Amino acid sequence: MLDTKVRELINTQINKEFYSAYLYLDFSNYYNDLGLDCFAHWYDIQAQEERDHAMLMRQYLHNNGEHVSFDAVAKPDATYASAKDPLTLGLKHEQYVTSLINTIYAAADAIHDYRTMQCFDWFVKEQGEEEKNAEDLIKKFDLYGSDPKGLYALNQELLARVYTAPSLVL
């Protein structure tokens, strides 16, 4: 049995991960509407990653004999004035998710729940990668996004992203 606070934080995080998937699908829809299909592809993969994060956390709770409950997933309500807006919002969102993961980790650490800490070591590392990817994409957009040929090349570069499901042992 997990500590009540840790279980509740993980249950809440599952919902946050599903929201992240919705948010990234919203970004994908926006880029599709702009004709930036490879930006859309990049965020489709990002959404799949977030869904898998939720499922991994769900499995962790199940593996520890815990009940999983789902809340309604909020509809993303962001509006975008430029093609850069989703990128900037994506970075801010990843920083927010990092703070949530850190809260779970700190709660587990406070009660010496080493099993949860070991599981969430992977998520801590993953969040570092998520933030770096978002920062790198913004940097590239800042360099090339105002030039149509540069934006086209960046769009094509994003098509190379492939999805690899995480192989985390819970």
Side-chain angles (χ1 to χ4, degrees):
M1 297 280 297
L2 293 177
D3 173 76
T4 302
K5 180 179 179 182
V6 170
R7 181 189 70 240
E8 289 173 359
L9 286 169
I10 296 172
N11 237 323
T12 299
Q13 188 61 33
I14 291 169
N15 185 261
K16 300 287 187 183
E17 297 292 333
F18 283 127
Y19 173 79
S20 296
Y22 272 34
L23 180 64
Y24 293 140
L25 289 173
D26 193 55
F27 291 178
S28 177
N29 290 343
Y30 174 74
Y31 284 122
N32 261 323
D33 291 346
L34 289 182
L36 294 170
D37 56 333
C38 302
F39 276 80
H41 166 77
W42 199 91
Y43 278 109
D44 283 340
I45 290 175
Q46 193 66 25
Q48 181 63 45
E49 281 189 9
E50 304 307 335
R51 286 188 299 262
D52 280 356
H53 294 168
M55 297 303 286
L56 286 169
M57 291 176 197
R58 175 181 166 265
Q59 188 62 52
Y60 180 74
L61 289 179
H62 283 303
N63 288 353
N64 284 280
E66 298 294 344
H67 175 74
V68 176
S69 60
F70 297 118
D71 293 324
V73 178
K75 177 182 176 183
D77 62 356
T79 56
Y80 316 113
S82 74
K84 185 179 176 182
D85 285 353
L87 305 179
T88 304
L89 289 170
L91 174 58
K92 288 179 185 174
H93 184 72
E94 288 301 338
Q95 291 166 336
Y96 169 67
V97 170
T98 297
S99 74
L100 297 172
I101 297 294
N102 290 343
T103 298
I104 295 168
Y105 198 92
D109 185 36
I111 59 165
H112 307 290
D113 179 353
Y114 302 116
R115 184 174 41 209
T116 299
M117 290 169 63
Q118 182 182 22
C119 174
F120 276 79
D121 281 341
W122 184 87
F123 290 103
V124 169
K125 181 178 182 263
E126 175 70 8
Q127 280 310 120
E129 293 172 8
E130 298 283 11
E131 286 187 32
K132 174 130 178 40
N133 288 341
E135 289 168 351
D136 288 350
L137 193 48
I138 290 170
K139 286 177 187 174
K140 288 178 180 181
F141 189 88
D142 285 344
L143 285 171
Y144 308 114
S146 61
D147 172 57
K149 290 179 183 176
L151 182 59
Y152 177 80
L154 179 56
N155 186 59
Q156 291 307 114
E157 177 184 321
L158 296 180
L159 184 59
R161 185 177 188 193
V162 295
Y163 180 69
T164 305
S167 57
L168 177 62
V169 177
L170 305 172

